[in-house]
Amino acid sequence: DQQVKQNSPSLSVQEGRISILNCDYTNSMFDYFLWYKKYPAEGPTFLISISSIKDKNEDGRFTVFLNKSAKHLSLHIVPSQPGDSAVYFCAAKTGTYKYIFGTGTRLKVLA
Amino acid sequence: DSGVTQTPKHLITATGQRVTLRCSPRSGDLSVYWYQQSLDQGLQFLIQYYNGEERAKGNILERFSAQQFPDLHSELNLSSLELGDSALYFCASSVQSTGWETQYFGPGTRLLVL
């Protein structure tokens, strides 16, 4: 059973516009959420995180929103740049040291 | 460059064989995590070590084992390999083991079992 789901395998966005990547989870015990970016032939790179006690966290062009009642997480990238083209993974942490990752969304930013 | 190194980059082997994947964490990091990414799958957490001791276990098969050595490098041993073990194996490291810190990932080892 996939506890963290990224239902959109891919997304294309024009350069300069907003990219919105979504993630749904099923376990209300998750207390920390992260987004990772992955380029081909490289390992995932940490992007931004949010604790379950917050509903928003910003870092430059990247903002993560958490809707606990809907068990939904989203990553907004504004403005999108061609260098943002990558696979984005959301991940959730349980009360232990265990992280559960989604299957990823491939973002393509068109110049 | 995350500072985490993994060797080898690629590995091709046959069913029934045994392989060892190696990971060197970032300087100063005490925690090492192992993940498996199969085709079209997310990263599956396998196991975590902290300062030489096993700290958490995920979906790791009994045919797989890992250890972390005194110099903090880690090895993941995969035995009696099956076709379905073909995947990307990532290692990540972090400073502590609270789970709240950032994990830094290596470039991965691509394993192909024929």
Side-chain angles (χ1 to χ4, degrees):
Chain A
D1 180 31
Q2 192 72 19
Q3 295 188 60
V4 177
K5 296 180 186 179
Q6 294 178 256
N7 293 317
S8 299
S10 63
L11 174 69
S12 290
V13 171
Q14 283 296 130
E15 180 180 5
R17 305 295 291 268
I18 183 172
S19 295
I20 300 176
L21 296 99
N22 294 304
C23 180
D24 295 300
Y25 61 94
T26 57
N27 190 340
S28 58
M29 298 302 292
F30 290 148
D31 58 2
Y32 189 53
F33 301 88
L34 310 94
W35 283 94
Y36 281 84
K37 179 168 74 171
K38 185 182 179 305
Y39 292 119
E42 295 182 12
T45 304
F46 170 75
L47 198 55
I48 192 169
S49 64
I50 187 167
S51 162
S52 61
I53 62 173
K54 293 187 172 183
D55 54 19
K56 178 181 172 181
N57 189 26
E58 270 182 278
D59 185 2
R61 295 185 298 113
F62 303 92
T63 303
V64 57
F65 294 92
L66 176 62
N67 182 334
K68 287 187 288 294
S69 60
K71 295 192 180 69
H72 180 79
L73 189 69
S74 64
L75 174 68
H76 292 210
I77 306 174
V78 183
S80 300
Q81 299 174 352
D84 296 329
S85 296
V87 177
Y88 289 78
F89 291 96
C90 67
K93 184 181 82 67
T94 69
T96 59
Y97 311 100
K98 186 176 170 181
Y99 287 78
I100 300 176
F101 282 74
T103 52
T105 296
R106 184 178 302 276
L107 173 67
K108 188 170 183 179
V109 179
L110 307 168
Chain B
D1 184 358
S2 66
V4 177
T5 59
Q6 289 186 250
T7 56
K9 281 196 169 67
H10 303 275
L11 197 49
I12 302 175
T13 188
T15 54
Q17 295 299 304
R18 173 190 167 95
V19 296
T20 297
L21 312 184
R22 182 188 168 104
C23 168
S24 292
R26 289 187 327 153
S27 175
D29 284 359
L30 300 179
S31 266
V32 169
Y33 305 77
W34 284 98
Y35 292 87
Q36 178 194 55
Q37 184 185 16
S38 301
L39 192 64
D40 294 332
Q41 297 289 316
L43 290 129
Q44 301 289 326
F45 169 70
L46 295 178
I47 198 164
Q48 183 217 357
Y49 278 82
Y50 175 73
N51 204 20
E53 293 189 6
E54 181 184 305
R55 185 58 67 94
K57 250 184 178 176
N59 302 322
I60 187 166
L61 299 172
E62 284 193 15
R63 301 183 285 108
F64 296 0
S65 65
Q67 58 185 131
Q68 185 179 28
F69 295 86
D71 67 352
L72 300 176
H73 91 271
S74 178
E75 292 181 356
L76 179 67
N77 300 297
L78 315 177
S79 61
S80 303
L81 284 167
E82 302 175 359
L83 295 177
D85 296 328
S86 296
L88 262 172
Y89 291 86
F90 288 103
C91 162
S93 73
S94 66
V95 174
Q96 298 173 19
S97 69
T98 62
W100 296 94
E101 65 279 353
T102 299
Q103 293 182 23
Y104 295 87
F105 281 79
T109 292
R110 186 176 293 278
L111 173 66
L112 180 59
V113 182
L114 301 175

